[in-house]
Amino acid sequence: MFKIGVDLGGTNISVGVVDEKNRIVGRGKVKTKAKRSPEEIFADMAKAVDEAMSDAGIKIDSVKSIGIGAPGTVDKANGVIVFANNIYFHHVPARALLQKYFDVDVFLDNDANCAALGEAIAGAGNGKKNFVAITLGTGVGSGVIIDGKIVTGCNDAGGECGHMVLQVDGESCTCGRNGCWEAYASATALIRQTKEAMLNDKDSVMWQLAGGNIENVNGRTAFDAMRMKDKTAKDVVDRYIKYVAVGTVNIVNALQPEMLCFGGGICNEGDTLLEPIREYVRKERYSRYSDKQTVICRAILGNDAGIIGAALLNE
């Protein structure tokens, strides 16, 4: 039997048919067009599921279950997306809406939790029962797995490491608090930090890389300029990495997972990003004298992690 995973994003809905070896064997994809009604969005989701099954050469009677990874907060027991600001969802009955089209079990969880589950079972954390996955993207997504189970708390909203405070009364965060890790360690934060540095140094190489237009700055700009020996860019990168590393130490100290992996586009920097984080953690961790230590690495499944994890929600 096959399982289907759905990654419901603000821009795209990506679907994969997953086989018994946790491999994606068929794919479907549609645009979310987020400002539409939930009914319209789930009708298109069903089309993407049909497309994935067609790509895999199977029918719905070969599918054991469908899992949905959704942004925001969810009510797993009742299959409801409680709130997802980027797709304008509020108490949307996701399970019921999808079961209008497919008479199979439908499971639901937060998208970051699904990505963590996918990496833990089929990716970097294979075989690890205590595992944390962090995604450095528009925000800082996180999923925590302890003793092989996703940590969700009493209300399915647990494991949100991106919203621990790094700086009291610091930068504003989209969650409504100030000083969250997300406000310093996300790709969005890095872009903001890069722009601020450029405005204070009109001679920085970063201006050349941005074609003279500060709106062209992206998450690579400071790293690329650093490699061109630009001191201002190096300062941006060093400070950004320290922000990521401080939050990482907090997670390691609190949870002591076997492995913590990073995903997101910034992780294309590889050890340029990860090795300074590892070094900082080695110096600052509470467990510095323990024989067992958390392995810090890069996620390997990319965007497929959320699809595979969603498919595995019934296990």
Side-chain angles (χ1 to χ4, degrees):
M1 294 290 283
F2 297 89
K3 290 164 283 190
I4 291 177
V6 179
D7 186 4
L8 172 59
T11 303
N12 296 303
I13 301 170
S14 300
V15 179
V17 175
V18 177
D19 69 9
E20 293 179 350
K21 294 183 178 179
N22 301 322
R23 300 174 301 190
I24 296 177
V25 296
R27 296 178 184 270
K29 190 174 187 178
V30 294
K31 292 291 184 184
T32 308
K33 299 177 186 176
K35 292 187 178 182
R36 299 182 297 159
S37 70
E39 289 77 12
E40 291 174 299
I41 289 173
F42 273 79
D44 278 352
M45 182 187 292
K47 292 177 183 176
V49 170
D50 280 329
E51 181 184 340
M53 289 192 295
S54 177
D55 189 41
I58 66 168
K59 302 288 187 182
I60 193 64
D61 57 7
S62 297
V63 174
K64 182 178 180 181
S65 62
I66 300 175
I68 304 171
T73 55
V74 302
D75 175 352
K76 295 196 302 181
N78 294 303
V80 173
I81 299 172
V82 178
F83 179 68
N85 64 299
N86 62 343
I87 51 175
Y88 310 96
F89 276 12
H90 190 267
H91 283 94
V92 170
R95 175 183 297 150
L97 286 173
L98 196 56
Q99 284 182 329
K100 287 183 180 180
Y101 302 94
F102 305 107
D103 185 21
V104 296
D105 289 334
V106 174
F107 298 88
L108 178 70
D109 207 333
N110 170 268
D111 53 1
N113 287 343
C114 290
L117 184 63
E119 283 289 346
I121 293 178
N126 183 257
K128 304 291 188 295
K129 289 187 173 298
N130 298 285
F131 177 81
V132 176
I134 304 295
T135 302
L136 304 175
T138 303
V140 173
S142 60
V144 177
I145 294 174
I146 300 295
D147 291 333
K149 296 181 180 180
I150 299 172
V151 172
T152 58
C154 66
N155 55 4
D156 296 327
E160 290 289 348
C161 300
H163 298 290
M164 59 183 175
V165 168
L166 212 64
Q167 175 65 55
V168 174
D169 299 326
E171 297 284 350
S172 61
C173 181
T174 57
C175 76
R177 300 184 81 191
N178 291 328
C180 290
W181 192 30
E182 177 171 301
Y184 293 89
S186 63
T188 305
L190 173 58
I191 291 169
R192 185 191 72 243
Q193 293 155 13
T194 302
K195 289 179 176 179
E196 290 171 353
M198 289 169 62
L199 290 173
N200 290 322
D201 183 2
K202 297 293 186 179
D203 295 323
S204 171
V205 171
M206 292 187 284
W207 283 102
Q208 297 176 33
L209 294 177
N213 183 352
I214 201 167
E215 296 308 315
N216 291 332
V217 168
N218 58 40
R220 299 186 304 273
T221 304
F223 281 92
D224 289 344
M226 176 191 69
R227 283 185 278 270
M228 298 171 70
K229 311 300 182 185
D230 184 271
K231 182 182 182 303
T232 298
K234 184 178 186 304
D235 290 343
V236 170
V237 170
D238 288 347
R239 186 170 67 251
Y240 172 75
I241 289 176
K242 188 170 184 179
Y243 288 141
V244 178
V246 170
T248 304
V249 174
N250 291 345
I251 295 169
V252 169
N253 284 351
L255 300 175
Q256 298 295 338
E258 296 166 78
M259 179 178 285
L260 185 151
C261 79
F262 283 99
I266 292 173
C267 293
N268 290 331
E269 295 294 335
D271 280 348
T272 301
L273 172 74
L274 294 180
E275 191 49 45
I277 294 173
R278 294 183 187 113
E279 181 59 30
Y280 189 89
V281 173
R282 280 193 287 268
K283 291 178 180 178
E284 298 288 332
R285 63 193 173 196
Y286 180 77
S287 60
R288 64 179 65 90
Y289 300 114
S290 298
D291 292 334
K292 293 181 179 180
Q293 299 290 352
T294 299
V295 174
I296 296 173
C297 65
R298 181 179 175 183
I300 63 174
L301 293 179
N303 293 332
D304 288 348
I307 296 173
I308 295 172
L312 296 174
L313 286 177
N314 67 323
E315 297 191 352

